[in-house]
């Protein structure tokens, strides 16, 4: 590894002398990619999670109508609010399944975002850091950093990509790129509702594909001498074809997409339901995929948030998410780990719900909805050693401001950065590492304490585990 | 006040300085701590590096073994600069591309299409010595040229659904100026100026109208105009158009002065103050986009544009960037400090100053060069560092000059000016140079150090639209799309690719098609792309040799298997098979001729020679 990195660095320096910083833009990124991470802060990751599933409620969940329930003028009569335990109340009408599972789930209620628009907010949740346009082109998604970290752990039989996305194409910022990391660490984004390219071929199609792929390789061999003298990008596409073919040809791939009707009903035949079902299958298959980011779109209810007659409203989205996450946790908890005696798949999987910010507390606005709100919102954690049934942080009576951050940094609200520090930590990754030889020469810290508007705590949320 | 936001922004501030945020005043000390921590991060140590001159001199005079380069003719001034530089520095280069290689490249670059086999055959059989120039002249005068570059400029100008009912009009307006080869400075003047209704009288006005917030999503708000004309939006638009037309990335100084932040990022911008950014933004400070409201909803997506707002407010509240703390809100051109003449419309004056400045011409020349040659003479193409532009500039260590060949870019910009800003002429001139016509094949050991000299052709993957349309052309199965009320057969001819069906959209997205909201960017290759090419219906259904389509007809009329293989090669990858390839092809036809032919075309559609412009 070191030798290779050294080589790359040599080439890079040589090139730098020529065009200076600029030339690294267009072509150089394809030609070579410098990567050498070094531990900067010596954080001690707790480990324990082999997999991580992030469910992103894109458009922003109304915190005060869900896991930080506050009765107010906007509260609907049909919510059927029930006390789960302590000060955890949930509208049963919205969360009938998760209401029964809160013993597995920890709620972090003291979050704060500096973002208040979706594009930037969703970028923040995928990149784990604020959007900085000066650097954006070189910033990888968190999933690609995980892929980079786990590349050395991939086994011969691992054909699935380390990082799989579901419906990232529906996010405001789309699926983020690998930035300065090599394209092979890219997300494979699957949208089961939208005819994804990655969905497996059926047996007949696979048979033809095999025949065709063999022919492609044969033609490739006879063309090879002529190609060797050409630009290396010309032939590098073959590597991607090889991994694509390996994935499609692995019987575990179509198996992961096999979804029986009762199961689809249990998870919900919608973007988050199918995403969670696929995620469960990928975890069970253990065929290389370690990190899954599921986008659940269409939560942005500025208008008519509780209008049952609208195609999209808070009831529908909450019910979808409720069903999907509950089924996922149930299944993971029911399945023994094939690796660790006496443990379940849930013990090895961190499941996290994130959303870009909250929604305006109090009465509904003039168009019967809730706008964006960033000073208090929440996320959920389960699995991989997270102690369920607990609440971290506390907001005031309206849910407008956080009155208790709920962790050891009492003056600091919890940020997206801390969510990812926790995920990295659970996955056994030192989140204080940094990569210094980036194209822009700005250090890339896995979790950056330099926030958009203030210095941040770059620690994990240890309170989830004790 | 609660922080709910009605705006939708693509990007905002770059490095943000701490500021009091709602409900949480921050101590001065904390701000200082943040600033301190900020600096080391954005001023990393750079490795000592020699100047371009020093290194090239080393290569030229030292132990570097000289490789004899193939002789290529100097076709125009471009070759003088490109080969002159290589000769001086002892850099070897590739030979000229063979006719087949050149022709496919020329067709793709000029028209976005792979060559029609019959036209290609005519060209290959032509014995005239001037046939390359003749082909280029034919291609840049064709409707294909209008298709390809309309799509290119629509990506660049982000012509999408935000343009609402003005989109189709904008589309035909772009086609029209490309077809007529209107001077590019006039075109950009149209984009930046004009008042009236965007859907009818000022199609170019859609370019800026699209960026203005679709405001008033909330009838509680008293006055929609405040939102429509808010300075944040003007800032965003200023950042965008400065990238597109001046190659400058002003994002950083839209929030803070350059000093103390950009010393290691951009020397030119280091000297710029936020106040100067205000000056540039202020040209649009009086511009209003007035929408048509009914019952709290936007009734249509037409805008009335005028310049009757009070002006750019340097103390206006900001939603997405560091608070404005006041300053000079009068329009001043960022490159010269020039102010509008009294009594003149500020946007008219901006268009005059901007299109009259050499940086405007450099930016376009560099952009077109980058499209045709693989990357710009200055990279990144929308982040010039003007301090590092002049060859004579004394730069602080370890900075080196930014352009890889400043004389070349200056010559292109000057030629562009002399030709009345003719875009078509610029494309043709570059394509006619031997520099453009070099082979992607380099015999000998290639060194990365040769790259900035453009010592060979750099391959690029076809764009999403080119690739989709190439598959349709190679299989003789055109797409069915709508452009306004017109039916078209290529994605490239659509005003907005998002209006294609889900299958095509998914394909386009996977191959990096711009969403037309952000600036277009290059997308790296991926396994997902490979999967799509292997099993998307866009490929598999098209290679099926049933009643319609090219392959079925070919099978029907061609009894000779050898001819069959040759035709599939020519039709798909625009060249004839080698002897060895012919043998593999013949073997593939095997027992099931139809299935073999389908497989062969599928394999060629998946081969690099189809997927890349080489």
């Amino acid at each position: 590894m070191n030798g290779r990195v050294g080589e790359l660095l040599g080439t890079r320096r040589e090139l730098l002398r020529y065009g200076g910083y600029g030339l690294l833009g267009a072509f150089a990124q394809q030609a070579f990619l410098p990567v050498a991470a070094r531990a900067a802060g010596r954080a001690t990751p707790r480990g324990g999670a082999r997999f991580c599933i992030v469910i992103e409620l894109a458009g922003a969940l109304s915190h005060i109508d869900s896991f930080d329930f506050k009765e107010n003028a906007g509260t609907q009569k049909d919510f059927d609010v029930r006390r789960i335990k302590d000060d955890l109340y949930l509208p049963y009408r919205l969360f009938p399944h998760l209401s029964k599972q809160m013993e597995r789930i920890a709620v972090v209620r003291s979050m704060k975002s500096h973002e208040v628009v979706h594009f930037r907010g969703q970028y923040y949740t995928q990149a784990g850091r604020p959007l900085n346009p000066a650097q954006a082109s070189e910033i990888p998604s968190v999933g690609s950093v995980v892929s980079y970290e786990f590349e050395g752990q991939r086994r011969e039989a691992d054909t699935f990509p380390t990082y799989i996305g579901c419906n990232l194409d529906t996010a405001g910022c789309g699926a983020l790129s690998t930035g300065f990391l090599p394209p092979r660490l890219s997300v494979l984004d699957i949208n089961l509702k939208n005819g994804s390219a990655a969905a497996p071929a059926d047996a007949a199609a696979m048979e033809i594909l095999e025949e065709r792929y063999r022919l492609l390789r044969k033609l490739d061999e006879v063309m090879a001498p002529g190609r060797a003298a050409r630009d290396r990008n010309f032939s590098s596409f073959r590597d991607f074809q090889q991994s694509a073919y390996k994935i499609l040809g692995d019987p575990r791939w179509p198996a992961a997409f096999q979804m029986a009707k009762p199961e689809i009903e249990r998870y919900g035949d919608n973007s988050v339901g199918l995403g969670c079902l696929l995620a469960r299958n990928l975890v069970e298959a253990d065929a290389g995929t370690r990190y899954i980011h599921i986008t659940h779109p269409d939560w942005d209810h500025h208008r008519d948030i509780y209008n049952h007659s609208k195609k999209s409203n808070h009831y529908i989205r909450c019910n979808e998410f409720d069903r999907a996450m509950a089924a996922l946790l149930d299944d993971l908890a029911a399945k023994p780990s094939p690796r660790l005696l006496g443990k379940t798949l849930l013990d090895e999987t961190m499941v996290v719900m994130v959303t870009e910010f909250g929604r305006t507390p109090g009465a509904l606005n003039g168009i019967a909805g809730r706008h964006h709100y960033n000073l208090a919102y929440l996320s959920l954690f389960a699995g991989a050693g997270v102690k369920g049934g607990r609440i971290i942080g506390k907001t005031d009576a309206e849910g407008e401001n956080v009155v208790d951050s709920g962790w050891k940094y009492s003056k600091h609200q919890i940020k997206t950065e801390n969510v990812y520090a926790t995920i990295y930590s659970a996955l056994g990754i030192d989140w204080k590492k940094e990569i210094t030889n980036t194209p822009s020469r700005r250090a890339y810290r896995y979790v950056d304490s330099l926030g958009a508007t203030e210095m941040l705590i770059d620690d994990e949320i240890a309170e989830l585990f004790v | 006040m609660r922080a709910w936001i009605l705006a939708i922004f693509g990007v905002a501030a770059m490095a943000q300085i701490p500021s009091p945020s709602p409900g949480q005043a921050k101590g001065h000390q904390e701000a200082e701590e943040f600033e301190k921590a900020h600096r080391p991060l954005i001023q990393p140590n750079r490795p000592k590096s020699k100047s371009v001159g020093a290194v090239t001199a080393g290569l030229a005079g030292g132990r570097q073994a000289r490789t004899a380069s193939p002789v290529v003719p100097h076709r125009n001034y471009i070759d003088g600069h490109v080969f002159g530089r290589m000769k001086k520095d002892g850099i070897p280069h590739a030979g000229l591309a063979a006719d087949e290689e050149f022709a496919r490249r020329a067709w793709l670059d000029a028209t976005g299409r792979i060559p029609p086999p019959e036209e290609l055959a005519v060209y290959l059989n032509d014995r005239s010595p001037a046939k390359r120039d003749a082909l280029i002249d034919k291609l840049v005068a064709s409707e294909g040229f209008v298709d390809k570059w309309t799509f290119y400029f629509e990506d660049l100008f982000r012509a999408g659904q935000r343009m609402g009912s003005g989109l189709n009009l904008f589309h035909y307006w772009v086609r029209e100026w490309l077809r007529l080869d209107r001077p590019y400075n006039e075109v950009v003047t149209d984009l930046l100026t004009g008042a009236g209704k965007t859907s009818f009288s000022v199609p170019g006005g859609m370019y800026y109208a699209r960026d203005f917030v679709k405001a008033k999503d909330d009838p509680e708000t008293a006055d929609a105009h405040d939102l429509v004309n808010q300075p944040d939006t003007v800032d965003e638009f200023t950042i965008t158009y400065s990238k597109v037309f001046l190659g400058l990335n002003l994002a950083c100084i839209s929030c803070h002065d350059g000093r103390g932040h950009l010393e290691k990022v951009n020397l030119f911008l280091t000297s710029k103050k936020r106040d100067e950014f205000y000056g540039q933004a202020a040209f649009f400070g009086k511009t209003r986009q007035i929408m048509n409201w009914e019952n709290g909803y936007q009734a249509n997506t037409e805008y009335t544009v005028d310049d009757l707002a009070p002006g750019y407010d340097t103390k206006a509240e900001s939603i997405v960037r560091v608070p404005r703390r006041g300053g000079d809100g009068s329009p001043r051109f960022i490159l010269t400090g020039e102010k509008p003449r009294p009594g003149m419309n500020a946007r008219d004056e901006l268009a005059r100053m901007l299109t009259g400045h050499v940086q405007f011409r450099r930016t376009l020349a560099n952009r077109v060069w980058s499209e045709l040659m693989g990357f710009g003479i200055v990279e990144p193409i929308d982040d010039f560092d003007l301090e590092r532009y002049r060859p004579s500039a004394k730069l602080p260590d370890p900075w080196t000059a930014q352009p890889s060949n400043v004389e070349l870019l200056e010559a292109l910009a000057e030629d562009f000016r002399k030709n009345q800003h003719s875009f078509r002429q610029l494309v043709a001139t570059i394509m006619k140079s031997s520099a453009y016509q070099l082979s992607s094949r380099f015999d000998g050991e290639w060194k990365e150090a040769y790259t900035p000299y453009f010592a060979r052709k750099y391959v690029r993957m076809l764009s999403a639209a080119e690739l989709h349309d190439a598959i349709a052309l190679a299989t003789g199965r055109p797409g069915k799309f709508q452009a306004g009320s017109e039916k078209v057969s290529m994605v490239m001819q659509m005003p907005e690719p998002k209006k294609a069906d889900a299958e095509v959209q998914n394909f386009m997205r996977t191959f990096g098609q711009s969403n037309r909201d952000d600036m277009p960017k290059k997308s790296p290759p991926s396994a997902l792309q490979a999967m799509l090419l292997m099993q998307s219906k866009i490929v598999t259904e098209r290679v099926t040799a049933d009643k319609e389509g090219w392959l079925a007809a070919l099978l029907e009329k061609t009894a000779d298997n050898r001819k069959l293989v040759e035709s599939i090669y020519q039709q798909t990858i625009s060249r004839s098979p080698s002897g060895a390839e012919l043998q593999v092809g013949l073997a593939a036809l095997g027992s099931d001729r139809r299935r073999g032919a389908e497989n062969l075309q599928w394999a060629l559609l998946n081969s690099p020679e189809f997927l890349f412009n080489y």
Side-chain angles (χ1 to χ4, degrees):
Chain A
M1 180 78 191
N2 278 338
R4 194 167 59 85
V5 169
E7 249 174 68
L8 290 171
L9 282 172
T11 324
R12 185 164 180 285
R13 292 231 171 84
E14 189 182 352
L15 187 65
L16 257 178
R17 291 188 209 121
Y18 277 83
Y21 156 81
L23 274 170
L24 293 166
F27 72 91
Q29 263 177 0
Q30 297 161 26
F32 56 86
L33 289 131
V35 166
R38 66 185 171 82
R42 292 182 292 280
T44 312
R46 65 180 62 242
R50 179 167 178 79
F51 309 99
C52 177
I53 301 169
V54 176
I55 305 170
E56 177 183 0
L57 307 186
L61 165 75
S62 173
H63 59 299
I64 51 136
D65 295 315
S66 57
F67 301 90
D68 191 8
F69 179 77
K70 308 285 179 184
E71 182 152 12
N72 58 61
T75 303
Q76 301 294 297
K77 288 199 179 69
D78 61 358
F79 268 10
D80 186 9
V81 178
R82 300 183 189 181
R83 180 161 181 249
I84 309 295
K85 66 180 277 196
D86 306 329
D87 74 337
L88 177 61
Y89 293 82
L90 265 183
Y92 189 79
R93 172 77 180 74
L94 302 177
F95 303 102
H97 300 90
L98 287 177
S99 287
K100 295 167 195 149
Q101 291 224 21
M102 293 311 291
E103 278 308 314
R104 290 195 179 120
I105 299 171
V107 186
V108 175
R109 282 178 175 168
S110 54
M111 302 219 26
K112 179 187 164 191
S113 175
H114 61 278
E115 301 293 4
V116 276
V117 292
H118 299 296
F119 176 92
R120 293 179 57 95
Q122 290 169 14
Y123 176 94
Y124 191 27
T125 49
Q126 234 184 91
R129 68 200 57 235
L131 174 65
N132 178 341
Q135 271 175 291
S137 67
E138 70 175 42
I139 299 297
S141 59
V142 171
S144 288
V145 176
V146 173
S147 299
Y148 167 64
E149 280 285 329
F150 286 170
E151 198 170 30
Q153 294 181 26
R154 283 178 70 88
R155 302 156 299 189
E156 191 60 36
D158 286 342
T159 64
F160 296 10
T162 308
Y163 175 25
I164 283 189
C166 289
N167 323 314
L168 289 176
D169 60 329
T170 65
C173 55
L176 298 191
S177 76
T178 56
F180 57 75
L181 293 172
R184 66 170 184 276
L185 303 172
S186 163
V187 63
L188 185 73
D189 186 36
I190 295 163
N191 186 331
L192 289 169
K193 277 286 177 201
N194 199 8
S196 168
D202 60 29
M206 198 58 219
E207 194 191 311
I208 295 182
L209 181 58
E210 273 175 38
E211 198 174 304
R212 289 175 171 175
Y213 188 75
R214 273 202 304 276
L215 177 60
L216 177 63
R217 288 282 76 90
K218 259 188 221 154
L219 289 176
D220 216 50
E221 276 164 35
V222 296
M223 290 189 220
R227 280 190 193 148
R230 295 191 198 269
D231 193 316
R232 76 179 98 166
N233 289 318
F234 198 63
S235 46
S236 68
F237 195 70
R238 186 192 304 129
D239 300 339
F240 292 102
Q241 283 175 329
Q242 263 161 6
S243 26
Y245 183 72
K246 262 191 201 162
I247 296 168
L248 292 174
D250 186 332
R252 293 175 297 179
W253 186 249
F257 286 79
Q258 206 117 70
M259 296 170 183
K261 211 168 168 221
E263 280 197 330
I264 291 178
E265 272 166 26
R266 201 156 57 81
Y267 277 80
D269 190 1
N270 54 64
S271 57
V272 71
L274 298 179
C276 285
L277 182 49
L278 178 65
R280 182 207 69 179
N281 292 349
L282 291 169
V283 166
E284 283 184 6
D286 188 25
T289 301
R290 308 283 294 274
Y291 188 88
I292 301 154
H293 186 121
I294 302 162
T295 300
H296 185 200
D298 206 7
W299 282 83
D300 192 22
H301 301 121
H302 286 277
R303 187 186 292 271
D304 296 321
I305 183 168
Y306 297 118
N307 189 334
H308 285 285
S309 71
K310 295 287 172 189
K311 260 202 328 222
S312 176
N313 61 54
H314 194 62
Y315 292 102
I316 296 174
R317 291 292 95 84
C318 288
N319 286 166
E320 287 175 352
F321 165 68
D322 171 65
R323 192 173 271 279
M325 177 144 170
L328 177 66
L329 296 184
D330 266 341
D331 285 358
L332 292 177
K335 192 103 180 173
S337 160
R339 291 160 293 270
L340 300 168
L341 197 67
K343 298 276 187 186
T344 69
L345 287 182
L346 187 58
D347 295 322
E348 289 184 290
T349 308
M350 174 163 269
V351 181
V352 184
M353 183 285 286
V354 296
T355 183
E356 60 260 51
F357 31 73
R359 306 202 74 91
T360 41
L364 300 187
N365 62 26
I367 44 178
R370 296 193 186 278
H371 290 309
H372 303 172
Y373 191 77
N374 63 331
L375 301 182
Y377 71 108
L378 54 82
S379 58
L380 306 178
F381 291 79
V386 167
K387 295 280 192 299
R390 68 177 54 186
I391 311 290
I392 291 174
K394 187 176 164 60
T395 56
D396 59 18
E398 292 288 320
E400 283 189 359
N401 289 295
V402 169
V403 294
D404 176 4
S405 73
W407 68 337
K408 62 182 165 188
Y409 305 100
S410 59
K411 285 184 185 156
H412 294 263
Q413 281 179 245
I414 292 174
K415 300 280 171 61
T416 292
E417 282 83 351
N418 309 116
V419 172
Y420 282 111
T422 309
I423 290 173
Y424 280 134
S425 174
L427 287 168
I429 296 169
D430 175 357
W431 68 90
K432 294 197 179 178
K433 272 188 196 171
E434 64 178 34
I435 291 170
T436 50
N437 56 342
T438 63
S440 76
R441 302 249 149 219
R442 294 169 182 222
Y444 173 88
R445 299 175 184 163
Y446 283 22
V447 172
D448 203 333
S449 57
L450 187 79
T453 54
E454 60 188 327
M455 291 299 291
L456 309 173
I457 301 298
D458 58 3
D459 208 352
E460 61 167 339
I461 313 167
E463 287 75 4
L464 286 166
F465 302 90
V466 288
Chain B
M1 196 190 97
R2 281 177 187 146
W4 38 260
I5 300 305
L6 307 170
I8 301 161
F9 291 101
V11 291
M14 176 190 129
Q16 295 162 339
I17 294 169
S19 58
S21 57
Q24 202 187 6
K26 227 176 306 303
H28 186 64
Q29 202 182 343
E30 204 176 331
E32 255 181 19
E33 183 195 328
F34 175 84
E35 283 251 306
K36 248 188 258 163
H38 199 89
R39 290 207 174 112
L41 184 69
I42 62 168
Q43 299 181 11
N45 294 324
R46 294 171 60 91
K48 298 260 178 189
S49 62
K50 295 176 202 163
S51 70
V52 173
V55 175
T56 50
L59 277 177
R63 293 176 297 276
Q64 178 77 18
R66 286 193 185 232
T67 312
S69 291
V71 177
V72 297
H74 285 206
R75 309 291 306 283
N76 57 31
Y77 67 91
I78 291 173
D79 294 333
H81 289 293
V82 172
F83 295 105
R85 179 81 186 275
M86 283 193 276
K87 191 174 176 199
K88 182 166 155 271
D89 292 351
I91 302 296
H93 58 76
L96 281 184
D99 263 353
E100 280 170 332
E101 185 183 344
F102 162 74
R104 186 176 183 273
R105 182 190 306 169
W107 247 284
L108 278 165
D109 281 340
T111 71
R113 293 156 161 84
I114 53 172
E118 308 74 35
E119 285 185 50
L120 179 61
V122 172
Y123 169 78
L124 294 175
N125 289 327
D126 188 348
R127 295 277 163 256
S128 143
K131 69 177 192 169
R132 290 197 178 188
D133 281 5
L135 177 66
I136 292 164
D137 287 336
K138 177 181 107 167
L139 295 175
V140 300
S142 70
E143 275 297 285
F145 179 84
V146 176
D147 289 341
K148 155 139 188 178
W149 294 97
T150 296
F151 199 86
Y152 169 82
F153 280 107
E154 286 177 341
D155 278 348
L156 188 63
F157 299 153
R158 298 169 303 138
Q161 282 157 354
R162 292 284 294 268
M163 287 190 178
S165 54
L167 175 62
N168 288 339
L169 192 65
F170 187 81
H171 175 67
Y172 288 108
W173 178 78
V174 175
R175 291 187 69 87
E176 203 53 29
W177 66 252
L178 277 165
R179 191 179 286 124
L180 298 173
D181 196 26
R182 280 184 67 201
Y184 183 68
N185 55 339
E186 281 182 20
V187 168
V188 174
T189 299
D190 276 10
L191 290 171
L192 296 175
T193 63
K197 289 199 172 190
T198 51
S199 308
F200 297 104
S201 48
V202 282
M206 288 313 308
Y207 176 57
Y208 56 84
R210 75 163 302 292
D211 261 9
F212 285 76
V213 178
K214 278 204 288 184
K216 203 173 174 196
D217 136 304
D218 185 354
E220 290 170 302
T221 315
D223 183 3
H225 296 165
D226 287 351
L227 291 161
V228 175
N229 192 33
Q230 53 161 298
D232 279 355
T233 312
V234 173
D235 286 359
E236 292 305 323
F237 178 65
T238 301
I239 292 166
T240 307
Y241 84 70
S242 301
K243 277 185 186 167
V244 174
F245 302 126
L246 294 173
L248 298 177
N249 181 1
L250 305 181
C252 305
I253 62 161
S254 76
C255 272
H256 54 70
D257 295 349
R259 196 161 307 283
H261 286 278
L262 303 177
E263 279 78 359
K264 301 293 177 188
V265 175
N266 188 309
L267 292 179
F268 169 70
L269 292 173
T270 303
S271 67
K272 292 285 154 197
K273 292 183 160 25
R274 191 181 187 190
D275 201 59
E276 289 167 275
F277 177 83
Y278 289 154
Q280 182 75 2
F283 283 104
F284 274 82
K286 291 189 174 186
T287 309
R288 301 194 303 179
Q289 276 68 28
I290 301 166
M291 276 166 281
N292 193 359
W293 294 98
E294 271 171 32
N295 303 326
Y297 288 85
Q298 191 179 346
N300 56 37
T301 46
E302 175 185 293
Y303 305 81
T304 302
V305 177
D306 66 26
D307 290 280
L308 299 173
Y312 189 86
D313 180 0
T314 58
K315 287 185 176 167
E317 192 193 346
S318 176
I319 297 167
V320 291
R321 41 175 51 80
V322 175
R324 296 183 183 80
R325 298 189 182 96
D328 185 353
S330 69
R332 286 149 292 148
F333 187 46
I334 190 122
L335 292 175
T336 58
E338 187 182 349
K339 296 180 173 185
R341 290 166 295 182
M344 303 290 282
N345 176 291
R347 289 190 289 130
D348 290 351
E349 288 290 274
L350 170 68
R352 177 181 60 80
M353 297 171 202
L354 181 144
T355 62
H357 198 281
V358 64
Q359 181 60 19
F360 168 73
R361 300 186 286 273
R362 277 179 202 144
T363 301
L364 197 265
N366 191 48
R367 233 174 236 297
V368 176
W369 181 270
S370 143
E371 279 303 301
L372 297 173
M373 303 294 289
F375 54 94
I377 299 162
V378 166
E379 279 285 342
I381 57 173
D382 50 13
D383 200 357
F384 274 68
D385 184 345
L386 297 178
E387 268 311 297
R388 292 161 55 217
Y389 188 81
R390 290 166 294 125
S392 56
K394 276 196 176 167
L395 299 169
D397 192 56
W399 285 106
T400 58
Q402 189 185 28
S404 58
N405 192 334
V406 68
E407 295 83 5
L408 171 62
L409 186 50
E410 286 302 284
L412 286 164
E414 177 57 13
D415 190 43
F416 187 48
R417 189 188 63 79
K418 275 200 256 165
N419 288 312
Q420 283 78 46
H421 295 83
S422 163
F423 173 73
R424 186 183 298 168
Q425 184 77 39
L426 176 62
V427 172
T429 304
I430 295 174
M431 289 180 67
K432 285 178 181 175
S433 69
S434 288
Y436 171 82
Q437 295 177 16
L438 289 185
S439 178
S440 58
R441 188 186 171 120
F442 183 89
D443 294 312
E445 194 202 343
W446 176 258
K447 295 200 161 84
E448 288 300 341
Y450 305 160
T451 307
Y453 290 88
F454 299 95
R456 79 193 302 178
K457 164 71 184 176
Y458 304 112
V459 307
R460 68 168 173 89
M461 198 175 212
L462 304 197
S463 72
E466 285 174 339
L467 188 55
H468 175 276
D469 292 341
I471 294 166
L473 288 170
T475 54
R477 288 171 193 258
K480 293 187 181 78
F481 305 111
Q482 207 66 33
S485 56
E486 202 187 333
K487 286 190 173 18
V488 293
S489 62
M490 300 171 74
V491 167
M492 196 176 291
Q493 295 165 323
M494 300 177 77
E496 154 67 301
K498 276 187 197 156
K499 291 190 175 155
D501 61 53
E503 188 98 35
V504 173
Q505 270 196 57
N506 184 32
F507 183 93
M508 297 287 286
R509 207 170 32 234
T510 306
F511 284 95
Q513 170 57 35
S514 146
N515 61 9
R516 299 256 169 113
D517 283 327
D518 310 311
M519 290 281 283
K521 54 184 178 223
K522 294 200 162 89
S523 87
S526 72
L528 192 60
Q529 292 173 348
M531 281 184 173
L532 196 58
L533 288 164
M534 284 177 184
Q535 55 174 12
S536 162
K537 283 183 192 153
I538 288 169
V539 178
T540 56
E541 283 186 357
R542 278 195 165 91
V543 299
T544 306
D546 54 16
K547 51 188 178 306
E548 48 169 315
W550 172 84
L551 193 56
L554 181 75
L555 282 160
E556 180 77 33
K557 71 176 185 215
T558 315
D560 179 1
N561 276 357
R562 178 179 285 263
K563 279 216 174 87
L564 189 67
V565 173
E566 279 170 358
S567 290
I568 295 173
Y569 261 83
Q570 285 153 2
Q571 172 83 7
T572 315
I573 60 170
S574 311
R575 67 169 176 85
S576 300
S578 68
E581 287 169 335
L582 189 62
Q583 290 315 310
V584 176
L586 286 172
L589 294 180
S591 51
D592 187 339
R593 195 165 175 260
R594 174 182 153 170
R595 185 163 171 151
E598 289 171 349
N599 290 351
L600 183 59
Q601 190 167 38
W602 180 95
L604 291 177
L605 290 174
N606 275 276
S607 72
E609 273 169 281
F610 181 76
L611 306 173
F612 285 80
N613 183 353
Y614 61 92

